[in-house]
Amino acid sequence: MGKGVGCLTFHFNPIEVEEFFLSAIIQSKIMKYNLLENWVTEMNGGDLGRLTSLYSQDAILFATFEEQPLDAPNLIHGYFKSFFSLEGAGVELDSSTVTNSELGENCCSSTGLYTFFFMENGHLIRQKARFTFIFTDEQPGAILHHHSSLIPS
């Protein structure tokens, strides 16, 4: 249905309008709690306790540099402790690739690309990876699921 303004006519597709507003709602949830940004900040800050507190007690981490799923807080803690032991360890988010989606009333996901970096034998190592986070807003910032895998070169 078009609505005329002067010599212009605007056509609104109800589905596109709904998708636009749903996208804005999802984005506001992600941004309200700074879910992804908090994770990046804690990764680069090296505070193991603060980083692992972002994960739910029932979280599952399919970690970038680990073969097995990590499905207990002590396993997630151990993984990041090992990563933080690497000289200059951190992560760089490619924010242009991030997509946020609503999965339900209290859950949303963020997917995209990031690069892990650390020093090894005096050389900067950069490992590009893709990720999916599933967050709940019932416990602001709680990561329920995190899947990360290297991008084949």
PDB file of all heavy atoms in Angstrom, residues 39 61-67 79 91 111-116 127-133 145-153:
ATOM      1  N   TRP A  39      32.895  -9.364  26.610  1.00  0.00           N
ATOM      2  CA  TRP A  39      33.763 -10.533  26.421  1.00  0.00           C
ATOM      3  C   TRP A  39      35.107 -10.104  25.834  1.00  0.00           C
ATOM      4  O   TRP A  39      36.164 -10.520  26.318  1.00  0.00           O
ATOM      5  CB  TRP A  39      33.064 -11.569  25.523  1.00  0.00           C
ATOM      6  CG  TRP A  39      33.862 -12.823  25.382  1.00  0.00           C
ATOM      7  CD1 TRP A  39      33.865 -13.898  26.227  1.00  0.00           C
ATOM      8  CD2 TRP A  39      34.801 -13.122  24.350  1.00  0.00           C
ATOM      9  NE1 TRP A  39      34.744 -14.843  25.776  1.00  0.00           N
ATOM     10  CE2 TRP A  39      35.327 -14.389  24.622  1.00  0.00           C
ATOM     11  CE3 TRP A  39      35.235 -12.435  23.215  1.00  0.00           C
ATOM     12  CZ2 TRP A  39      36.282 -14.997  23.809  1.00  0.00           C
ATOM     13  CZ3 TRP A  39      36.185 -13.032  22.404  1.00  0.00           C
ATOM     14  CH2 TRP A  39      36.700 -14.298  22.696  1.00  0.00           C
ATOM     15  N   LEU A  61      31.462 -24.407  25.890  1.00  0.00           N
ATOM     16  CA  LEU A  61      32.419 -23.689  25.053  1.00  0.00           C
ATOM     17  C   LEU A  61      33.065 -24.668  24.089  1.00  0.00           C
ATOM     18  O   LEU A  61      33.711 -25.632  24.514  1.00  0.00           O
ATOM     19  CB  LEU A  61      33.487 -23.020  25.931  1.00  0.00           C
ATOM     20  CG  LEU A  61      34.714 -22.444  25.219  1.00  0.00           C
ATOM     21  CD1 LEU A  61      34.333 -21.360  24.226  1.00  0.00           C
ATOM     22  CD2 LEU A  61      35.720 -21.913  26.240  1.00  0.00           C
ATOM     23  N   PHE A  62      32.849 -24.449  22.802  1.00  0.00           N
ATOM     24  CA  PHE A  62      33.585 -25.164  21.763  1.00  0.00           C
ATOM     25  C   PHE A  62      34.730 -24.220  21.407  1.00  0.00           C
ATOM     26  O   PHE A  62      34.578 -23.323  20.580  1.00  0.00           O
ATOM     27  CB  PHE A  62      32.698 -25.457  20.548  1.00  0.00           C
ATOM     28  CG  PHE A  62      31.660 -26.497  20.815  1.00  0.00           C
ATOM     29  CD1 PHE A  62      30.419 -26.156  21.334  1.00  0.00           C
ATOM     30  CD2 PHE A  62      31.924 -27.830  20.555  1.00  0.00           C
ATOM     31  CE1 PHE A  62      29.455 -27.108  21.588  1.00  0.00           C
ATOM     32  CE2 PHE A  62      30.959 -28.806  20.809  1.00  0.00           C
ATOM     33  CZ  PHE A  62      29.718 -28.444  21.328  1.00  0.00           C
ATOM     34  N   ALA A  63      35.855 -24.417  22.067  1.00  0.00           N
ATOM     35  CA  ALA A  63      36.955 -23.456  22.027  1.00  0.00           C
ATOM     36  C   ALA A  63      37.803 -23.577  20.760  1.00  0.00           C
ATOM     37  O   ALA A  63      37.941 -24.655  20.187  1.00  0.00           O
ATOM     38  CB  ALA A  63      37.829 -23.640  23.261  1.00  0.00           C
ATOM     39  N   THR A  64      38.380 -22.466  20.389  1.00  0.00           N
ATOM     40  CA  THR A  64      39.174 -22.360  19.168  1.00  0.00           C
ATOM     41  C   THR A  64      40.369 -23.307  19.171  1.00  0.00           C
ATOM     42  O   THR A  64      40.670 -23.934  18.159  1.00  0.00           O
ATOM     43  CB  THR A  64      39.698 -20.915  19.004  1.00  0.00           C
ATOM     44  OG1 THR A  64      38.635 -20.015  19.254  1.00  0.00           O
ATOM     45  CG2 THR A  64      40.257 -20.685  17.618  1.00  0.00           C
ATOM     46  N   PHE A  65      41.056 -23.396  20.302  1.00  0.00           N
ATOM     47  CA  PHE A  65      42.299 -24.153  20.365  1.00  0.00           C
ATOM     48  C   PHE A  65      42.175 -25.408  21.230  1.00  0.00           C
ATOM     49  O   PHE A  65      43.133 -25.839  21.863  1.00  0.00           O
ATOM     50  CB  PHE A  65      43.430 -23.243  20.902  1.00  0.00           C
ATOM     51  CG  PHE A  65      43.588 -21.969  20.118  1.00  0.00           C
ATOM     52  CD1 PHE A  65      43.152 -20.756  20.628  1.00  0.00           C
ATOM     53  CD2 PHE A  65      44.161 -21.979  18.853  1.00  0.00           C
ATOM     54  CE1 PHE A  65      43.290 -19.580  19.914  1.00  0.00           C
ATOM     55  CE2 PHE A  65      44.295 -20.816  18.120  1.00  0.00           C
ATOM     56  CZ  PHE A  65      43.865 -19.612  18.645  1.00  0.00           C
ATOM     57  N   GLU A  66      40.989 -25.992  21.256  1.00  0.00           N
ATOM     58  CA  GLU A  66      40.741 -27.178  22.076  1.00  0.00           C
ATOM     59  C   GLU A  66      39.917 -28.163  21.252  1.00  0.00           C
ATOM     60  O   GLU A  66      38.983 -27.770  20.554  1.00  0.00           O
ATOM     61  CB  GLU A  66      39.978 -26.783  23.341  1.00  0.00           C
ATOM     62  CG  GLU A  66      39.692 -27.902  24.309  1.00  0.00           C
ATOM     63  CD  GLU A  66      40.949 -28.488  24.930  1.00  0.00           C
ATOM     64  OE1 GLU A  66      41.843 -27.720  25.321  1.00  0.00           O
ATOM     65  OE2 GLU A  66      41.031 -29.727  25.019  1.00  0.00           O
ATOM     66  N   GLU A  67      40.271 -29.456  21.347  1.00  0.00           N
ATOM     67  CA  GLU A  67      39.565 -30.467  20.552  1.00  0.00           C
ATOM     68  C   GLU A  67      38.199 -30.824  21.120  1.00  0.00           C
ATOM     69  O   GLU A  67      37.273 -31.109  20.372  1.00  0.00           O
ATOM     70  CB  GLU A  67      40.419 -31.737  20.445  1.00  0.00           C
ATOM     71  CG  GLU A  67      41.647 -31.555  19.582  1.00  0.00           C
ATOM     72  CD  GLU A  67      42.448 -32.838  19.443  1.00  0.00           C
ATOM     73  OE1 GLU A  67      41.888 -33.940  19.664  1.00  0.00           O
ATOM     74  OE2 GLU A  67      43.627 -32.737  19.101  1.00  0.00           O
ATOM     75  N   TYR A  79      40.894 -23.540  30.278  1.00  0.00           N
ATOM     76  CA  TYR A  79      41.185 -23.170  28.890  1.00  0.00           C
ATOM     77  C   TYR A  79      41.681 -21.726  28.808  1.00  0.00           C
ATOM     78  O   TYR A  79      42.706 -21.445  28.185  1.00  0.00           O
ATOM     79  CB  TYR A  79      39.936 -23.352  28.020  1.00  0.00           C
ATOM     80  CG  TYR A  79      40.114 -22.816  26.622  1.00  0.00           C
ATOM     81  CD1 TYR A  79      40.861 -23.516  25.679  1.00  0.00           C
ATOM     82  CD2 TYR A  79      39.553 -21.596  26.244  1.00  0.00           C
ATOM     83  CE1 TYR A  79      41.049 -23.018  24.400  1.00  0.00           C
ATOM     84  CE2 TYR A  79      39.731 -21.096  24.972  1.00  0.00           C
ATOM     85  CZ  TYR A  79      40.476 -21.815  24.053  1.00  0.00           C
ATOM     86  OH  TYR A  79      40.668 -21.305  22.788  1.00  0.00           O
ATOM     87  N   VAL A  91      42.430 -10.626  21.705  1.00  0.00           N
ATOM     88  CA  VAL A  91      41.524 -10.855  20.582  1.00  0.00           C
ATOM     89  C   VAL A  91      41.137  -9.508  19.969  1.00  0.00           C
ATOM     90  O   VAL A  91      41.030  -8.506  20.670  1.00  0.00           O
ATOM     91  CB  VAL A  91      40.270 -11.653  21.022  1.00  0.00           C
ATOM     92  CG1 VAL A  91      39.391 -10.848  21.954  1.00  0.00           C
ATOM     93  CG2 VAL A  91      39.475 -12.149  19.828  1.00  0.00           C
ATOM     94  N   THR A 111      27.110 -13.543  15.942  1.00  0.00           N
ATOM     95  CA  THR A 111      28.028 -14.321  15.121  1.00  0.00           C
ATOM     96  C   THR A 111      28.943 -13.355  14.389  1.00  0.00           C
ATOM     97  O   THR A 111      28.589 -12.197  14.163  1.00  0.00           O
ATOM     98  CB  THR A 111      27.277 -15.186  14.085  1.00  0.00           C
ATOM     99  OG1 THR A 111      26.502 -14.320  13.243  1.00  0.00           O
ATOM    100  CG2 THR A 111      26.364 -16.193  14.752  1.00  0.00           C
ATOM    101  N   GLY A 112      30.104 -13.832  14.021  1.00  0.00           N
ATOM    102  CA  GLY A 112      31.028 -12.987  13.279  1.00  0.00           C
ATOM    103  C   GLY A 112      32.434 -13.549  13.279  1.00  0.00           C
ATOM    104  O   GLY A 112      32.643 -14.748  13.494  1.00  0.00           O
ATOM    105  N   LEU A 113      33.385 -12.644  13.060  1.00  0.00           N
ATOM    106  CA  LEU A 113      34.795 -13.014  12.956  1.00  0.00           C
ATOM    107  C   LEU A 113      35.614 -12.231  13.966  1.00  0.00           C
ATOM    108  O   LEU A 113      35.304 -11.081  14.268  1.00  0.00           O
ATOM    109  CB  LEU A 113      35.319 -12.723  11.546  1.00  0.00           C
ATOM    110  CG  LEU A 113      34.565 -13.365  10.388  1.00  0.00           C
ATOM    111  CD1 LEU A 113      35.148 -12.885   9.057  1.00  0.00           C
ATOM    112  CD2 LEU A 113      34.610 -14.882  10.475  1.00  0.00           C
ATOM    113  N   TYR A 114      36.648 -12.878  14.471  1.00  0.00           N
ATOM    114  CA  TYR A 114      37.631 -12.204  15.309  1.00  0.00           C
ATOM    115  C   TYR A 114      38.995 -12.826  15.046  1.00  0.00           C
ATOM    116  O   TYR A 114      39.100 -13.856  14.376  1.00  0.00           O
ATOM    117  CB  TYR A 114      37.277 -12.206  16.780  1.00  0.00           C
ATOM    118  CG  TYR A 114      36.841 -13.492  17.461  1.00  0.00           C
ATOM    119  CD1 TYR A 114      37.295 -14.761  17.091  1.00  0.00           C
ATOM    120  CD2 TYR A 114      35.983 -13.434  18.547  1.00  0.00           C
ATOM    121  CE1 TYR A 114      36.888 -15.901  17.770  1.00  0.00           C
ATOM    122  CE2 TYR A 114      35.575 -14.571  19.233  1.00  0.00           C
ATOM    123  CZ  TYR A 114      36.036 -15.804  18.833  1.00  0.00           C
ATOM    124  OH  TYR A 114      35.642 -16.936  19.501  1.00  0.00           O
ATOM    125  N   THR A 115      40.027 -12.179  15.550  1.00  0.00           N
ATOM    126  CA  THR A 115      41.388 -12.668  15.386  1.00  0.00           C
ATOM    127  C   THR A 115      42.040 -12.762  16.757  1.00  0.00           C
ATOM    128  O   THR A 115      42.084 -11.774  17.497  1.00  0.00           O
ATOM    129  CB  THR A 115      42.215 -11.728  14.483  1.00  0.00           C
ATOM    130  OG1 THR A 115      41.561 -11.614  13.204  1.00  0.00           O
ATOM    131  CG2 THR A 115      43.621 -12.245  14.292  1.00  0.00           C
ATOM    132  N   PHE A 116      42.539 -13.946  17.085  1.00  0.00           N
ATOM    133  CA  PHE A 116      43.319 -14.123  18.304  1.00  0.00           C
ATOM    134  C   PHE A 116      44.767 -13.782  17.982  1.00  0.00           C
ATOM    135  O   PHE A 116      45.251 -14.061  16.882  1.00  0.00           O
ATOM    136  CB  PHE A 116      43.236 -15.568  18.799  1.00  0.00           C
ATOM    137  CG  PHE A 116      41.886 -15.931  19.326  1.00  0.00           C
ATOM    138  CD1 PHE A 116      40.966 -16.595  18.532  1.00  0.00           C
ATOM    139  CD2 PHE A 116      41.526 -15.600  20.619  1.00  0.00           C
ATOM    140  CE1 PHE A 116      39.713 -16.919  19.019  1.00  0.00           C
ATOM    141  CE2 PHE A 116      40.279 -15.923  21.118  1.00  0.00           C
ATOM    142  CZ  PHE A 116      39.370 -16.583  20.319  1.00  0.00           C
ATOM    143  N   GLN A 127      45.648 -15.598  14.579  1.00  0.00           N
ATOM    144  CA  GLN A 127      44.802 -16.706  14.144  1.00  0.00           C
ATOM    145  C   GLN A 127      43.380 -16.198  13.941  1.00  0.00           C
ATOM    146  O   GLN A 127      42.703 -15.846  14.910  1.00  0.00           O
ATOM    147  CB  GLN A 127      44.810 -17.815  15.207  1.00  0.00           C
ATOM    148  CG  GLN A 127      46.154 -18.432  15.452  1.00  0.00           C
ATOM    149  CD  GLN A 127      46.505 -19.445  14.379  1.00  0.00           C
ATOM    150  OE1 GLN A 127      45.641 -20.044  13.751  1.00  0.00           O
ATOM    151  NE2 GLN A 127      47.790 -19.641  14.168  1.00  0.00           N
ATOM    152  N   LYS A 128      42.927 -16.169  12.688  1.00  0.00           N
ATOM    153  CA  LYS A 128      41.556 -15.732  12.407  1.00  0.00           C
ATOM    154  C   LYS A 128      40.576 -16.854  12.740  1.00  0.00           C
ATOM    155  O   LYS A 128      40.844 -18.017  12.463  1.00  0.00           O
ATOM    156  CB  LYS A 128      41.415 -15.324  10.941  1.00  0.00           C
ATOM    157  CG  LYS A 128      42.186 -14.074  10.604  1.00  0.00           C
ATOM    158  CD  LYS A 128      41.927 -13.627   9.186  1.00  0.00           C
ATOM    159  CE  LYS A 128      42.717 -12.345   8.939  1.00  0.00           C
ATOM    160  NZ  LYS A 128      42.328 -11.717   7.699  1.00  0.00           N
ATOM    161  N   ALA A 129      39.444 -16.446  13.323  1.00  0.00           N
ATOM    162  CA  ALA A 129      38.441 -17.436  13.730  1.00  0.00           C
ATOM    163  C   ALA A 129      37.041 -16.857  13.542  1.00  0.00           C
ATOM    164  O   ALA A 129      36.850 -15.651  13.447  1.00  0.00           O
ATOM    165  CB  ALA A 129      38.658 -17.830  15.193  1.00  0.00           C
ATOM    166  N   ARG A 130      36.076 -17.749  13.475  1.00  0.00           N
ATOM    167  CA  ARG A 130      34.656 -17.368  13.411  1.00  0.00           C
ATOM    168  C   ARG A 130      34.023 -17.768  14.737  1.00  0.00           C
ATOM    169  O   ARG A 130      34.511 -18.677  15.414  1.00  0.00           O
ATOM    170  CB  ARG A 130      33.981 -18.041  12.236  1.00  0.00           C
ATOM    171  CG  ARG A 130      34.193 -19.522  12.210  1.00  0.00           C
ATOM    172  CD  ARG A 130      33.860 -20.139  10.879  1.00  0.00           C
ATOM    173  NE  ARG A 130      34.559 -21.411  10.801  1.00  0.00           N
ATOM    174  CZ  ARG A 130      35.018 -21.941   9.691  1.00  0.00           C
ATOM    175  NH1 ARG A 130      34.857 -21.320   8.550  1.00  0.00           N
ATOM    176  NH2 ARG A 130      35.627 -23.092   9.704  1.00  0.00           N
ATOM    177  N   PHE A 131      32.946 -17.089  15.103  1.00  0.00           N
ATOM    178  CA  PHE A 131      32.337 -17.366  16.402  1.00  0.00           C
ATOM    179  C   PHE A 131      30.826 -17.287  16.355  1.00  0.00           C
ATOM    180  O   PHE A 131      30.243 -16.629  15.502  1.00  0.00           O
ATOM    181  CB  PHE A 131      32.854 -16.386  17.472  1.00  0.00           C
ATOM    182  CG  PHE A 131      32.441 -14.949  17.229  1.00  0.00           C
ATOM    183  CD1 PHE A 131      31.191 -14.485  17.619  1.00  0.00           C
ATOM    184  CD2 PHE A 131      33.304 -14.065  16.603  1.00  0.00           C
ATOM    185  CE1 PHE A 131      30.811 -13.165  17.396  1.00  0.00           C
ATOM    186  CE2 PHE A 131      32.936 -12.742  16.383  1.00  0.00           C
ATOM    187  CZ  PHE A 131      31.691 -12.297  16.773  1.00  0.00           C
ATOM    188  N   THR A 132      30.230 -17.972  17.313  1.00  0.00           N
ATOM    189  CA  THR A 132      28.815 -17.829  17.653  1.00  0.00           C
ATOM    190  C   THR A 132      28.714 -17.812  19.169  1.00  0.00           C
ATOM    191  O   THR A 132      29.274 -18.681  19.843  1.00  0.00           O
ATOM    192  CB  THR A 132      27.976 -19.007  17.115  1.00  0.00           C
ATOM    193  OG1 THR A 132      28.077 -19.043  15.698  1.00  0.00           O
ATOM    194  CG2 THR A 132      26.507 -18.871  17.512  1.00  0.00           C
ATOM    195  N   PHE A 133      28.053 -16.796  19.691  1.00  0.00           N
ATOM    196  CA  PHE A 133      27.726 -16.711  21.111  1.00  0.00           C
ATOM    197  C   PHE A 133      26.211 -16.782  21.234  1.00  0.00           C
ATOM    198  O   PHE A 133      25.501 -16.180  20.426  1.00  0.00           O
ATOM    199  CB  PHE A 133      28.144 -15.357  21.707  1.00  0.00           C
ATOM    200  CG  PHE A 133      29.609 -15.188  21.956  1.00  0.00           C
ATOM    201  CD1 PHE A 133      30.418 -14.610  21.004  1.00  0.00           C
ATOM    202  CD2 PHE A 133      30.169 -15.583  23.169  1.00  0.00           C
ATOM    203  CE1 PHE A 133      31.770 -14.418  21.240  1.00  0.00           C
ATOM    204  CE2 PHE A 133      31.508 -15.395  23.415  1.00  0.00           C
ATOM    205  CZ  PHE A 133      32.321 -14.813  22.447  1.00  0.00           C
ATOM    206  N   HIS A 145      26.292 -20.429  25.426  1.00  0.00           N
ATOM    207  CA  HIS A 145      26.989 -21.266  24.435  1.00  0.00           C
ATOM    208  C   HIS A 145      27.967 -20.372  23.674  1.00  0.00           C
ATOM    209  O   HIS A 145      27.644 -19.236  23.337  1.00  0.00           O
ATOM    210  CB  HIS A 145      25.957 -21.867  23.472  1.00  0.00           C
ATOM    211  CG  HIS A 145      26.556 -22.676  22.375  1.00  0.00           C
ATOM    212  ND1 HIS A 145      26.775 -24.028  22.494  1.00  0.00           N
ATOM    213  CD2 HIS A 145      26.988 -22.331  21.143  1.00  0.00           C
ATOM    214  CE1 HIS A 145      27.311 -24.478  21.356  1.00  0.00           C
ATOM    215  NE2 HIS A 145      27.449 -23.469  20.531  1.00  0.00           N
ATOM    216  N   HIS A 146      29.152 -20.885  23.440  1.00  0.00           N
ATOM    217  CA  HIS A 146      30.166 -20.158  22.677  1.00  0.00           C
ATOM    218  C   HIS A 146      30.881 -21.174  21.800  1.00  0.00           C
ATOM    219  O   HIS A 146      31.440 -22.149  22.297  1.00  0.00           O
ATOM    220  CB  HIS A 146      31.147 -19.483  23.644  1.00  0.00           C
ATOM    221  CG  HIS A 146      32.282 -18.765  22.997  1.00  0.00           C
ATOM    222  ND1 HIS A 146      33.313 -18.247  23.716  1.00  0.00           N
ATOM    223  CD2 HIS A 146      32.536 -18.458  21.709  1.00  0.00           C
ATOM    224  CE1 HIS A 146      34.177 -17.653  22.921  1.00  0.00           C
ATOM    225  NE2 HIS A 146      33.715 -17.787  21.673  1.00  0.00           N
ATOM    226  N   HIS A 147      30.804 -20.960  20.508  1.00  0.00           N
ATOM    227  CA  HIS A 147      31.472 -21.821  19.536  1.00  0.00           C
ATOM    228  C   HIS A 147      32.443 -20.953  18.758  1.00  0.00           C
ATOM    229  O   HIS A 147      32.074 -19.916  18.224  1.00  0.00           O
ATOM    230  CB  HIS A 147      30.455 -22.449  18.588  1.00  0.00           C
ATOM    231  CG  HIS A 147      31.038 -23.456  17.664  1.00  0.00           C
ATOM    232  ND1 HIS A 147      30.285 -24.417  17.065  1.00  0.00           N
ATOM    233  CD2 HIS A 147      32.301 -23.653  17.230  1.00  0.00           C
ATOM    234  CE1 HIS A 147      31.059 -25.177  16.304  1.00  0.00           C
ATOM    235  NE2 HIS A 147      32.285 -24.722  16.381  1.00  0.00           N
ATOM    236  N   SER A 148      33.689 -21.396  18.695  1.00  0.00           N
ATOM    237  CA  SER A 148      34.732 -20.660  18.002  1.00  0.00           C
ATOM    238  C   SER A 148      35.601 -21.640  17.245  1.00  0.00           C
ATOM    239  O   SER A 148      35.990 -22.674  17.798  1.00  0.00           O
ATOM    240  CB  SER A 148      35.579 -19.884  19.022  1.00  0.00           C
ATOM    241  OG  SER A 148      36.601 -19.164  18.397  1.00  0.00           O
ATOM    242  N   SER A 149      35.883 -21.352  15.986  1.00  0.00           N
ATOM    243  CA  SER A 149      36.736 -22.244  15.207  1.00  0.00           C
ATOM    244  C   SER A 149      37.623 -21.445  14.270  1.00  0.00           C
ATOM    245  O   SER A 149      37.238 -20.375  13.797  1.00  0.00           O
ATOM    246  CB  SER A 149      35.891 -23.252  14.415  1.00  0.00           C
ATOM    247  OG  SER A 149      35.015 -22.586  13.534  1.00  0.00           O
ATOM    248  N   LEU A 150      38.818 -21.980  14.045  1.00  0.00           N
ATOM    249  CA  LEU A 150      39.764 -21.313  13.161  1.00  0.00           C
ATOM    250  C   LEU A 150      39.225 -21.284  11.741  1.00  0.00           C
ATOM    251  O   LEU A 150      38.539 -22.216  11.300  1.00  0.00           O
ATOM    252  CB  LEU A 150      41.108 -22.050  13.167  1.00  0.00           C
ATOM    253  CG  LEU A 150      41.916 -21.950  14.452  1.00  0.00           C
ATOM    254  CD1 LEU A 150      43.164 -22.826  14.354  1.00  0.00           C
ATOM    255  CD2 LEU A 150      42.309 -20.508  14.733  1.00  0.00           C
ATOM    256  N   ILE A 151      39.556 -20.231  11.029  1.00  0.00           N
ATOM    257  CA  ILE A 151      39.211 -20.126   9.613  1.00  0.00           C
ATOM    258  C   ILE A 151      40.347 -20.785   8.838  1.00  0.00           C
ATOM    259  O   ILE A 151      41.514 -20.388   8.991  1.00  0.00           O
ATOM    260  CB  ILE A 151      39.031 -18.656   9.180  1.00  0.00           C
ATOM    261  CG1 ILE A 151      37.854 -18.047   9.935  1.00  0.00           C
ATOM    262  CG2 ILE A 151      38.855 -18.558   7.667  1.00  0.00           C
ATOM    263  CD1 ILE A 151      37.660 -16.561   9.679  1.00  0.00           C
ATOM    264  N   PRO A 152      40.034 -21.794   8.049  1.00  0.00           N
ATOM    265  CA  PRO A 152      41.106 -22.458   7.296  1.00  0.00           C
ATOM    266  C   PRO A 152      41.844 -21.475   6.390  1.00  0.00           C
ATOM    267  O   PRO A 152      41.245 -20.585   5.801  1.00  0.00           O
ATOM    268  CB  PRO A 152      40.360 -23.508   6.453  1.00  0.00           C
ATOM    269  CG  PRO A 152      39.040 -23.686   7.135  1.00  0.00           C
ATOM    270  CD  PRO A 152      38.728 -22.366   7.773  1.00  0.00           C
ATOM    271  N   SER A 153      43.154 -21.647   6.336  1.00  0.00           N
ATOM    272  CA  SER A 153      43.938 -20.734   5.482  1.00  0.00           C
ATOM    273  C   SER A 153      44.239 -21.351   4.139  1.00  0.00           C
ATOM    274  O   SER A 153      44.036 -22.447   3.868  1.00  0.00           O
ATOM    275  CB  SER A 153      45.234 -20.342   6.173  1.00  0.00           C
ATOM    276  OG  SER A 153      45.912 -21.468   6.666  1.00  0.00           O
TER     277      SER A 153
END
